[in-house]
């Protein structure tokens, strides 16, 4: 897109004014990622001094106090607090005043939390109004991105009005801590970066076939035998609490996934009788398959495990997995075959899987949790409870669009992950693919489209650990962050997004996030780590 041509003679001054407004609008837009829903700006700018700057909220709120501390250092990264003794000239003072409609600061963000905010920046003050503390956090993030420095190091912010809210309510990132163990600090740092991008859900794919790092209170043997190492490669209960509280302070939900009946090899090491013994002919082969769906003890175990998980993780959602179940071991096992006959499933093993998943969904419903399952569960079994959320992970656009149509037609809420498996990398600017995804662009009614509650960027861990997680995630996940937050029409151009995303990537570097380059170029503050 090129700048509008200005015709010289007629109304030249007016045209020049338009051009200035156009450029200002453009520059301001460059400053905030993901793009706010509505904003107006003027070329009036105000200097900010760390020593004269303060955040203000009239009541006591620990979430805001913590955020004020963080954002002060983010906005003034080089400020040493002993400067604070210098007397402050009134002309140099600036207050950001937060007001909330709902003053509750004690709870957790949940599936219906409002993240709406209104930010109004004028001379010597800014007003940040939000319905909830979670909205205030989003507004603080926006405010921090509006501040810039000139070549002499002076901080400025321009006169601005922003009204903002997310397009989709669920904007998640999946981390996989089973294929590779991710140290606690790596997870916490990812949560920081998520908050800069206004992501609000951490989907913790905590266990899987290769390892079981979750240290269960009820079943400590499982991580003892099933983690890569029983002491160093686990998440203790206190680690999990750290993650949940770090996330909460940033308005991020933590949705745990305990995927079954497949993907459970590591569970079996410390929990005998859970997995199905596979047979070769009439004798056990010594290998094991998915969770044994024919045994009552499996369901008793699951009920106890999910009772614990439901109390450890406060989020209303639990992810139950249900993907990629291999039937060959079930088919080989005489007990399972006997159960099939007893239940009248014939030779249709998808019925057995459905029976298993339905039982697990009932267990978590009884614990007052909303179940999320991978799309496979719907593909086999269209009669799962209506409030189950389906997670779409398979296929090219033509396929996942069909699936979006089918599942929403059945009245289920859906999450879209298929186009955002960003553990897959390609040479060049592959963020473009993430950016051009249109989650509601499938054939269906308006009601169906509303059932798309959001999307998720998945970072599967086969080839990812703490060494390469951050540059693989950022800024590639940022493309999805804007798709999920911002207005569809205002963010339809990859060309307009590119310089803004390059700029945002520089912001991430400045904040210590190892975000890889998008394309040729430089940042004013290059990454300083080693
Ligand atoms: C802020 O205002 C200045 C003029 O005072 C203008 O040059 C600049 O483009 C504006 N910047 C932003 C980020 O809006």
């Amino acid at each position: 897109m090129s700048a509008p041509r200005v015709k010289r003679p007629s109304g030249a001054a007016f045209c020049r004014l338009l051009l200035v407004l156009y450029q200002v609008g453009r520059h301001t837009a460059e400053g905030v990622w993901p793009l706010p829903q509505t904003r107006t700006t003027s070329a009036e700018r105000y200097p900010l001094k760390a020593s004269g700057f303060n955040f203000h909220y009239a009541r006591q709120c620990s979430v805001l106090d913590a955020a004020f501390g963080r954002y002060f250092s983010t906005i003034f990264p080089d400020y040493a607090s002993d400067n604070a003794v210098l007397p402050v000239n009134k002309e140099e003072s600036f207050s950001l005043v937060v007001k909330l409609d709902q003053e509750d600061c004690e709870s957790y963000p949940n599936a219906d939390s409002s993240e709406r905010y209104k930010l109004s920046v004028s001379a010597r003050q800014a007003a940040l109004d939000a319905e909830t503390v979670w909205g205030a956090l989003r507004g603080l993030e926006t405010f921090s991105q509006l501040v810039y420095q000139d070549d002499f190091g002076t901080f400025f912010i321009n006169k601005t009005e922003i009204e903002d809210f997310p397009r989709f309510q669920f904007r998640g990132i999946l981390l996989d801590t089973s294929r590779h163990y991710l140290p606690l600090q790596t997870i916490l740092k990812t949560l920081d970066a998520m908050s800069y991008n206004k992501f609000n859900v951490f989907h913790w794919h905590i266990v899987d076939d290769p390892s079981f790092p979750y240290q269960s209170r009820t079943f400590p043997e499982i991580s003892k035998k099933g983690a890569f190492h029983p002491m160093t490669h686990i998440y203790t209960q206190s680690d999990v609490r750290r993650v949940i509280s770090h996330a909460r302070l940033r308005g991020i939900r933590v949705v745990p996934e305990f995927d079954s009946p497949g993907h459970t090899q590591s569970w079996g090491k410390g929990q005998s009788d859970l997995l199905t013994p596979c047979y070769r002919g009439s004798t056990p082969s010594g290998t094991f398959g998915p969770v044994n769906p024919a045994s009552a003890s499996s369901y008793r175990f699951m009920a106890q495990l999910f009772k614990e998980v439901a109390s450890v993780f406060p989020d209303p959602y639990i992810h139950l997995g249900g993907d990629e179940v291999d039937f060959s071991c079930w088919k080989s096992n005489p007990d399972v075959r006997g159960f099939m006959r007893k239940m009248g499933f014939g030779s249709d093993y998808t019925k057995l899987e459905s029976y298993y998943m339905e039982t697990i969904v009932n267990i978590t419903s009884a614990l007052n949790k909303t179940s999320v399952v991978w799309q496979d569960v719907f593909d086999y079994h269209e009669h799962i409870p209506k409030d189950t959320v389906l997670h779409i992970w398979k296929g090219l656009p033509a396929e996942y669009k069909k699936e979006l149509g089918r599942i929403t037609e059945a009245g289920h809420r859906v999450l879209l992950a298929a186009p955002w498996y960003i553990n897959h990398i390609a040479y060049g600017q592959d963020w473009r693919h993430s950016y051009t995804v249109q989650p509601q662009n499938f054939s269906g009614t308006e009601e169906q489209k509303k059932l798309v509650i959001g999307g998720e960027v998945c970072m599967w861990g086969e080839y990812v650990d703490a060494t390469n997680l951050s540059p693989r995630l950022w800024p590639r996940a940022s493309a999805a962050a804007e798709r999920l937050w911002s207005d569809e029409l205002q963010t339809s151009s990859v060309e307009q997004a590119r310089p803004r995303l390059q700029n945002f990537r520089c912001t991430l570097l400045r904040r210590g996030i190892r975000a890889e380059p998008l394309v040729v170029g430089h940042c004013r503050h290059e990454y300083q780590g080693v």
Side-chain angles (χ1 to χ4, degrees):
M1 227 191 95
S2 60
R5 279 280 151 76
V6 180
K7 281 211 190 85
R8 269 290 144 175
S10 60
F14 179 63
C15 287
R16 219 172 304 126
L17 177 69
L18 277 186
L19 189 61
V20 166
L21 285 176
Y22 167 79
Q23 284 170 341
V24 167
R26 214 185 47 165
H27 281 129
T28 305
E30 274 172 25
V32 183
W33 187 282
L35 191 71
Q37 299 282 346
T38 66
R39 68 199 185 283
T40 49
T41 185
S42 90
E44 208 172 312
R45 65 176 192 179
Y46 316 112
L48 296 181
K49 277 234 160 124
S51 56
F53 184 89
N54 78 302
F55 291 104
H56 182 77
Y57 178 58
R59 292 168 151 261
Q60 194 59 36
C61 174
S62 54
V63 175
L64 283 181
D65 286 345
F68 292 162
R70 289 197 308 275
Y71 279 110
F72 187 88
S73 327
T74 299
I75 294 168
F76 306 108
D78 308 315
Y79 183 70
S81 57
D82 44 320
N83 292 354
V85 295
L86 292 175
V88 179
N89 172 344
K90 192 152 184 292
E91 294 302 301
E92 291 175 348
S93 70
F94 192 103
S95 294
L96 184 153
V97 179
V98 176
K99 291 210 181 83
L100 304 181
D101 294 343
Q102 297 161 30
E103 279 152 357
D104 175 19
C105 278
E106 299 309 315
S107 57
Y108 290 85
N110 65 43
D112 329 292
S113 299
S114 161
E115 293 169 287
R116 193 176 268 282
Y117 67 91
K118 194 166 163 264
L119 178 64
S120 163
V121 180
S122 51
R124 300 222 302 278
Q125 61 172 325
L128 173 55
D129 298 320
E131 286 168 10
T132 68
V133 66
W134 318 119
L137 292 178
R138 304 295 169 248
L140 287 170
E141 178 55 43
T142 296
F143 180 83
S144 74
Q145 293 187 23
L146 289 172
V147 178
Y148 59 98
Q149 265 178 304
D150 69 5
D151 288 338
F152 306 99
T154 307
F155 292 97
F156 290 98
I157 190 163
N158 286 29
K159 185 173 170 64
T160 307
E161 300 282 335
I162 287 178
E163 281 198 55
D164 202 10
F165 53 88
R167 176 177 170 207
F168 293 103
Q169 170 256 313
F170 189 114
R171 305 176 309 282
I173 291 216
L174 174 150
L175 295 184
D176 168 6
T177 55
S178 175
R179 269 92 187 191
H180 283 94
Y181 179 78
L182 296 172
L184 188 62
Q185 289 307 325
T186 303
I187 296 177
L188 301 184
K189 187 105 174 185
T190 304
L191 291 167
D192 295 349
M194 283 172 67
S195 71
Y196 307 152
N197 285 272
K198 298 188 170 79
F199 277 109
N200 68 348
V201 183
F202 168 35
H203 171 178
W204 195 351
H205 188 86
I206 189 166
V207 298
D208 204 297
D209 284 325
S211 76
F212 192 105
Y214 172 74
Q215 189 177 48
S216 162
R217 291 195 294 241
T218 325
F219 302 103
E221 283 301 304
I222 306 185
S223 62
K224 219 177 249 170
K225 304 259 173 61
F228 286 132
H229 186 283
M231 306 296 284
T232 56
H233 286 53
I234 56 166
Y235 303 105
T236 63
Q237 291 291 314
S238 104
D239 291 338
V240 171
R241 279 196 299 274
R242 273 285 293 284
V243 169
I244 294 169
S245 95
H246 196 91
R248 180 181 88 96
L249 288 175
R250 287 154 186 78
I252 298 172
R253 302 163 50 193
V254 180
V255 175
E257 177 179 355
F258 285 80
D259 187 355
S260 77
H263 291 276
T264 48
Q265 288 294 303
S266 66
W267 307 34
K269 295 180 184 157
Q271 186 67 26
S272 53
D273 298 342
L274 177 65
L275 304 185
T276 310
C278 312
Y279 277 64
R280 198 182 301 112
S282 58
T283 49
S285 68
T287 62
F288 293 88
V291 169
N292 189 344
S295 150
S297 68
S298 299
Y299 300 104
R300 277 199 301 274
F301 166 83
M302 287 293 173
Q304 283 187 75
L305 178 70
F306 280 112
K307 186 167 175 227
E308 171 181 327
V309 169
S311 74
V312 169
F313 293 88
D315 200 80
Y317 285 18
I318 293 185
H319 203 302
L320 304 176
D323 58 318
E324 298 183 302
V325 183
D326 176 10
F327 297 145
S328 56
C329 182
W330 282 354
K331 285 180 184 166
S332 78
N333 183 296
D335 296 336
V336 175
R337 286 202 305 265
F339 187 73
M340 291 283 288
R341 276 193 300 277
K342 192 181 121 196
M343 299 300 287
F345 292 159
S347 56
D348 184 356
Y349 282 78
T350 67
K351 291 207 169 105
L352 180 58
E353 176 179 6
S354 301
Y355 169 83
Y356 174 86
M357 286 313 293
E358 202 174 306
T359 312
I360 303 298
V361 168
N362 289 340
I363 289 172
T364 48
S365 305
L367 295 162
N368 280 325
K369 298 283 184 177
T370 298
S371 305
V372 187
V373 292
W374 297 106
Q375 70 178 83
D376 314 42
V377 177
F378 178 87
D379 296 347
Y380 288 146
H381 183 55
E382 306 203 350
H383 303 295
I384 40 173
K386 269 274 150 56
D387 71 334
T388 310
V389 178
L390 273 299
H391 203 160
I392 298 180
W393 66 278
K394 287 189 208 181
L396 296 167
E399 293 155 307
Y400 71 69
K401 283 179 183 185
K402 226 164 100 195
E403 188 79 358
L404 279 165
R406 284 195 333 120
I407 299 181
T408 55
E409 198 177 359
H412 287 285
R413 287 169 294 169
V414 292
L415 281 170
L416 183 62
W420 287 311
Y421 267 36
I422 70 169
N423 50 300
H424 294 267
I425 43 180
Y427 190 73
Q429 297 190 48
D430 65 352
W431 67 276
R432 295 155 150 269
H433 306 306
S434 295
Y435 197 75
T436 50
V437 172
Q438 293 305 346
Q440 287 170 319
N441 186 358
F442 61 92
S443 58
T445 63
E446 282 311 303
E447 284 311 303
Q448 279 175 260
K449 304 206 171 170
K450 283 194 198 123
L451 291 170
V452 181
I453 59 172
E456 197 172 85
V457 171
C458 296
M459 184 58 82
W460 296 102
E462 286 87 350
Y463 304 98
V464 176
D465 70 5
T467 62
N468 60 349
L469 171 67
S470 190
R472 196 172 282 208
L473 250 189
W474 313 114
R476 295 166 71 239
S478 307
E482 182 152 289
R483 180 56 53 239
L484 291 168
W485 178 281
S486 307
D487 178 73
E488 182 177 357
L489 296 175
Q490 289 181 57
T491 55
S492 58
S493 157
V494 170
E495 298 313 314
Q496 278 171 29
R498 186 189 296 105
R500 295 178 45 246
L501 187 53
Q502 279 179 283
N503 183 57
F504 180 60
R505 181 242 166 189
C506 294
T507 302
L508 293 176
L509 292 192
R510 186 87 206 267
R511 297 181 182 194
I513 303 299
R514 205 183 274 268
E516 71 175 17
L518 217 58
V519 67
V520 177
H522 83 289
C523 291
R524 187 150 131 208
H525 301 276
E526 295 293 352
Y527 185 73
Q528 293 298 318
V530 284

